[in-house]
Amino acid sequence: MIEVKNLFKSYGDLSVLKDISFSVEKGEVLCIIGPSGSGKSTLLRCLNRLEEIQSGDIEIFGTNLTKVKNINKFREKIGMVFQLFNLFPNYNVEKNIILAPVQLGILNKHQAAEKVGELLQKVGLEEKRNVYPDTLSGGQKQRIAIARALAMNPSIMLFDEPTSALDPEMVGEVLKVMRSLAESGMTMVVVTHEMNFAREVANRVIFMADGYIVEENKPDKIFTNPDNERTQAFLSSVLKPLDS
């Protein structure tokens, strides 16, 4: 589904991504972890060309993304959920979800109305159909953002630290929806600080630092016996138990 080869990205003299290569198979969940500033979110944004790259190749569905002229059409099959929910405050939940697929002719209004009910059930918010975003908690907003991305019927879902802006008690409800998506066979690339999610749900985990892929392996290997000292140091710091 995704093939990244020798990807480089910089902002002026600042190199952010350095010779990145990896692939994602259909139905696979890839989690990307690492310290802040390691290039994780930039990498994710390159996967739907929200960021332009300096060199390298990104192939999605066998198509080189750098050569796609109508990128908006291509993005219809790549759903993305951001750290901040980016809901339209002047539209209710239903319209937030169906706006794009109706405007783009993917669904007619009757199909869209049915789709909203299905998606709200999937994210556990059937009763919020007619309310406005300012009445929702952070976790509810993020679940609506997931439903909105799913309304386009994407083949791939990208998640950019979807729980980082949430209060701790809201995190679980969003991860539950993401876990359900993974179990349904959705191809997912997830940038996350949620180590338990990465360990339990991912098929593979990439650890990034300083713009490089430092280590890539199955979750059990990464979390119990990483090969690289940089990976070991990072996991020791984030998984260290609190002093009693």
Side-chain angles (χ1 to χ4, degrees):
M1 296 284 276
I2 302 173
E3 185 80 31
V4 178
K5 302 175 185 175
N6 309 116
L7 178 66
F8 287 84
K9 167 68 183 175
S10 61
Y11 299 104
D13 294 332
L14 178 64
S15 294
V16 181
L17 299 175
K18 306 165 187 176
D19 199 19
I20 300 292
S21 298
F22 67 93
S23 62
V24 183
E25 301 297 327
K26 183 177 181 180
E28 190 173 21
V29 178
L30 174 69
C31 281
I32 304 174
I33 64 172
S36 297
S38 58
K40 308 183 301 297
S41 292
T42 300
L43 173 57
L44 201 72
R45 290 169 64 85
C46 288
L47 295 183
N48 63 359
R49 236 173 74 186
L50 287 173
E51 298 282 356
E52 297 293 343
I53 64 174
Q54 271 62 53
S55 64
D57 292 298
I58 301 172
E59 292 186 2
I60 298 184
F61 318 124
T63 298
N64 193 323
L65 211 61
T66 61
K67 298 177 181 177
V68 173
K69 293 182 178 179
N70 188 351
I71 189 62
N72 287 329
K73 183 68 177 175
F74 198 83
R75 285 182 184 134
E76 291 177 10
K77 291 297 180 183
I78 308 172
M80 186 158 184
V81 178
F82 299 88
Q83 296 177 37
L84 298 177
F85 329 111
N86 296 340
L87 300 177
F88 296 110
N90 54 323
Y91 294 152
N92 66 13
V93 162
E94 177 173 359
K95 192 162 185 181
N96 263 284
I97 293 172
I98 68 171
L99 183 65
V102 169
Q103 284 191 345
L104 293 171
I106 295 171
L107 299 173
N108 61 40
K109 289 188 176 181
H110 176 71
Q111 292 170 327
E114 290 187 350
K115 188 75 170 178
V116 168
E118 171 192 325
L119 290 172
L120 287 177
Q121 183 176 16
K122 184 172 288 190
V123 300
L125 291 171
E126 302 98 312
E127 75 284 2
K128 300 297 185 181
R129 184 172 189 139
N130 296 310
V131 308
Y132 285 79
D134 63 358
T135 69
L136 301 174
S137 69
Q140 290 170 336
K141 288 176 183 176
Q142 194 61 290
R143 285 187 279 163
I144 296 301
I146 294 172
R148 180 178 59 183
L150 292 173
M152 298 294 291
N153 196 30
S155 299
I156 296 169
M157 285 286 287
L158 309 177
F159 293 87
D160 185 11
E161 298 188 20
T163 60
S164 65
L166 301 180
D167 292 333
E169 65 268 23
M170 305 292 179
V171 169
E173 62 191 48
V174 174
L175 294 181
K176 181 180 178 182
V177 172
M178 293 172 61
R179 188 186 300 265
S180 176
L181 272 180
E183 291 171 352
S184 75
M186 175 64 74
T187 306
M188 297 165 58
V189 182
V190 184
V191 171
T192 185
H193 291 295
E194 301 295 335
M195 297 300 131
N196 285 336
F197 178 87
R199 187 170 190 164
E200 295 169 9
V201 179
N203 300 104
R204 280 184 301 123
V205 175
I206 283 175
F207 171 69
M208 290 185 66
D210 304 317
Y212 294 99
I213 291 179
V214 175
E215 190 163 351
E216 175 182 355
N217 219 314
K218 293 184 179 298
D220 281 350
K221 172 65 175 171
I222 290 284
F223 285 102
T224 61
N225 189 27
D227 293 325
N228 191 279
E229 290 182 2
R230 184 70 180 85
T231 315
Q232 294 169 13
F234 172 77
L235 291 174
S236 293
S237 67
V238 299
L239 299 176
K240 185 177 180 180
L242 296 174
D243 293 333
S244 56

